[in-house]
Amino acid sequence: CPAARPVQPAGGARATHLVHGGVAHTLEAEPLVIGSDPAAPRMLRLPAQLPGVSRRHCSVLLGAHGAIVRDHSRHGTFVNGQRVNGDAPLAAGDRLRVGSPGVVFELVAVN
């Protein structure tokens, strides 16, 4: 398992949506919680049998300086191939991965 290190955003515009399965989920101050059983007001439930996906894996939200991902898992959350340690910034064009081999989400900016 590679060592966790700070993640730098890809340098794109501010991300406004997380895309999964052809659906764009709006990013808000209230976290969008991703996992196999996230039990949250705003959640994105993944199939329980996916390897390396925790019940409450990570949260994506808008902070004071833009979108961030907050890792809650012991399995790891990855942005552009780098493991997240705590919180990491997100920008349009970034790729968020949970699980192994993983589910990949795209960050986009919608006007």
Side-chain angles (χ1 to χ4, degrees):
C1 186
R5 58 184 176 219
V7 176
Q8 298 299 316
R14 277 181 86 134
T16 60
H17 292 74
L18 177 89
V19 179
H20 173 65
V23 177
H25 301 271
T26 304
L27 300 182
E28 301 175 2
E30 183 174 357
L32 175 62
V33 182
I34 300 169
S36 62
D37 188 19
R42 294 189 70 228
M43 63 181 168
L44 205 158
R45 188 181 311 271
L46 300 175
Q49 70 274 18
L50 288 175
V53 175
S54 300
R55 287 188 350 240
R56 184 178 170 90
H57 197 95
C58 65
S59 300
V60 181
L61 64 141
L62 284 181
H65 301 289
I68 62 169
V69 60
R70 180 167 293 144
D71 182 37
H72 306 295
S73 77
R74 65 175 201 263
H75 301 290
T77 299
F78 299 83
V79 175
N80 301 327
Q82 295 182 356
R83 188 171 182 155
V84 171
N85 185 14
D87 291 356
L90 296 169
D94 284 344
R95 294 171 59 91
L96 174 68
R97 179 175 61 84
V98 302
S100 180
V103 175
V104 177
F105 305 90
E106 303 280 338
L107 281 296
V108 298
V110 177
N111 295 334

